[in-house]
Amino acid sequence: MADPTLPVSAAAAAPVNKGEMFTSFDVNAFEVPSPREEVWRFTPFRRLRGLHDGSAERTAEAAVTVTGEAAGVSVETVGRDDARLGDGGVPFDRIAAQAYSSFTQATVITVGKETQPADPIVVTVEGPGAGEVGFGHLQVRLEPFARAVVVLDQKGSGTYAENVEFVVGDQASLTVVNVHDWADDAVHVAAHHLRVGRDASIRHFAISLGGNLVRLSPVVHYDAPGGDVELWGLYFADAGQHLEQRLLVDHSQPHCRSNVVYKGALQGDTSGDRSREAHTVWIGDVLIRPAAEGTDTFELNRNLVLTDNARADSVPNLEIETGEIVGAGHASATGRFDDEQLFYLQARGIPEDQARRLVIRGFFREIIAKISVPDIRDRLEAAIEKELEIAGA
């Protein structure tokens, strides 16, 4: 953990690499961010409602409920003094530190050693309410050899910032499905800290559909060799929405694997009103340190622009500090419909509107098919159908 007593200038210093970014639990150790900084340059500050500069004070609490408890699974409500908090990772920006400094109670879910619940554990977070500000903290812990599926379902109104920790013990396996189904007014900024033990695995799904502004930052830390992480993302931005994902996979241990696949679709307001632009941002950072020999990693981002007045920013970054790796690569593409695909379908008697729907369904199908929770798959397919109706596809 970084020393919170360091002067502010230390927090502002540019790291040598992404893995050496400044971290602290103390919000005052961070400077107020600026749009001139690389990590904030795409984020519309005027829509953060003061989360970035400390003017957003807690006025209400988000409601957190947990269902699907089973033998060997414990759910606790704890204070900030609980020694386990921070095991997943330390806040790496001012908003994450503000969230850590401002929550009143944290939820800790522990899946015991060798425990394998038959049903998903569902965590539902209801926003603090329209015009209100809330802060939260959630930690999910898997002890060695445990296996679990956790659904983090977030909905409702208000302004909400949080830290979420996933601490996965040796040879344990966790699947996380995080659904952002916020109301149109919601602003949500979240830091996800993923800590992976020896020969452990995490499958992390981030689904962003609702909200006015949603900014999600998952960071992966490997504690020992053999860790295996997959990050899957699906987002669909409508007019006026800003959906941003910023990932860091820090390969610091040998013989670990990561695979990142994020896909998004955008549809803006075609009237020409720039304030009704649909905007998505995907930043994928992968760092392979000198000690991380035998690393195998790849990241992919695809964006499908459905209308005018829609903008997708996609920046994959790969930093390699050792040549002794299995493989490393990245790919990114943003474009409109493939005319050849539409022509192929229409040539077989399928009307254009149905052909467009088929193309979009196929675009997202790879990710939806990977989700092991049938209720979530059905819900996502219905949500995409609703979005297509808005788009007139």
Side-chain angles (χ1 to χ4, degrees):
M1 179 178 65
D3 184 355
T5 63
L6 287 173
V8 172
S9 59
V16 175
N17 59 42
K18 294 289 184 178
E20 296 176 1
M21 60 186 176
F22 180 81
T23 61
S24 176
F25 292 103
D26 181 9
V27 65
N28 293 319
F30 293 90
E31 288 185 333
V32 174
S34 161
R36 294 186 298 273
E37 298 175 42
E38 172 60 29
V39 295
W40 292 102
R41 68 186 178 100
F42 292 113
T43 307
F45 276 59
R46 66 187 183 281
R47 294 166 64 177
L48 286 173
R49 298 176 183 164
L51 287 175
H52 63 296
D53 61 13
S55 61
E57 298 182 355
R58 178 173 54 84
T59 61
E61 301 290 345
V64 180
T65 58
V66 181
T67 59
E69 296 180 56
V73 178
S74 67
V75 179
E76 305 167 76
T77 301
V78 302
R80 192 177 296 103
D81 58 348
D82 190 291
R84 295 169 295 180
L85 299 185
D87 283 354
V90 182
F92 45 79
D93 63 35
R94 186 181 174 91
I95 295 181
Q98 181 70 54
Y100 190 88
S101 302
S102 302
F103 75 86
T104 57
Q105 294 180 324
T107 301
V108 177
I109 301 171
T110 304
V111 182
K113 184 177 182 180
E114 299 181 354
T115 299
Q116 299 185 26
D119 298 319
I121 301 167
V122 180
V123 183
T124 303
V125 177
E126 187 78 25
E132 306 291 347
V133 177
F135 299 92
H137 197 102
L138 170 68
Q139 185 183 88
V140 177
R141 306 178 65 91
L142 266 64
E143 295 183 353
F145 305 101
R147 299 178 65 89
V149 176
V150 175
V151 176
L152 177 54
D153 193 2
Q154 299 182 297
K155 60 184 69 176
S157 296
T159 302
Y160 188 61
E162 63 174 348
N163 289 279
V164 181
E165 301 180 57
F166 302 103
V167 183
V168 182
D170 295 348
Q171 297 189 50
S173 178
L174 172 65
T175 296
V176 177
V177 183
N178 182 199
V179 182
H180 303 137
D181 199 10
W182 297 104
D184 291 343
D185 70 295
V187 169
H188 178 217
V189 180
H192 283 196
H193 309 270
L194 291 73
R195 188 162 294 279
V196 191
R198 180 180 296 273
D199 298 323
S201 66
I202 297 180
R203 304 291 178 267
H204 181 280
F205 294 85
I207 314 297
S208 294
L209 300 172
N212 179 292
L213 180 150
V214 176
R215 176 180 160 122
L216 174 66
S217 301
V219 177
V220 178
H221 301 279
Y222 295 90
D223 279 348
D228 189 335
V229 174
E230 293 184 1
L231 302 176
W232 298 86
L234 184 157
Y235 47 91
F236 205 131
D238 286 325
Q241 279 188 296
H242 178 94
L243 305 179
E244 182 169 348
Q245 288 85 19
R246 287 183 167 270
L247 300 77
L248 171 60
V249 182
D250 184 358
H251 280 276
S252 58
Q253 298 288 332
H255 306 295
C256 292
R257 173 184 173 271
S258 65
N259 185 57
V260 178
V261 179
Y262 270 64
K263 292 187 176 184
L266 306 84
Q267 52 191 12
D269 185 334
T270 58
S271 68
D273 183 354
R274 291 300 299 275
S275 67
R276 300 292 293 163
E277 178 185 71
H279 189 194
T280 64
V281 178
W282 181 86
I283 309 295
D285 290 321
V286 175
L287 169 64
I288 304 175
R289 296 175 183 263
E293 297 181 354
T295 292
D296 187 6
T297 181
F298 192 81
E299 58 177 349
L300 170 70
N301 180 230
R302 294 281 188 265
N303 297 289
L304 187 58
V305 179
L306 304 179
T307 68
D308 294 332
N309 206 19
R311 171 185 170 187
D313 289 292
S314 178
V315 185
N317 298 302
L318 186 58
E319 188 173 350
I320 304 173
E321 297 180 344
T322 175
E324 301 298 324
I325 61 175
V326 174
H330 58 67
S332 171
T334 299
R336 296 187 178 272
F337 276 102
D338 188 324
D339 291 335
E340 290 187 3
Q341 288 181 328
L342 290 178
F343 177 80
Y344 177 87
L345 293 171
Q346 289 180 265
R348 280 147 183 79
I350 299 175
E352 182 180 358
D353 60 339
Q354 294 183 26
R356 290 169 64 88
R357 285 174 179 263
L358 288 172
V359 171
I360 297 171
R361 290 182 194 132
F363 178 71
F364 285 128
R365 185 61 189 170
E366 175 189 10
I367 295 173
I368 294 176
K370 294 284 185 180
I371 298 174
S372 61
V373 184
D375 289 347
I376 297 296
R377 287 201 307 267
D378 293 343
R379 181 173 159 190
L380 290 179
E381 289 173 352
I384 290 172
E385 286 297 320
K386 184 177 179 180
E387 297 286 359
L388 296 180
E389 291 176 3
I390 295 173

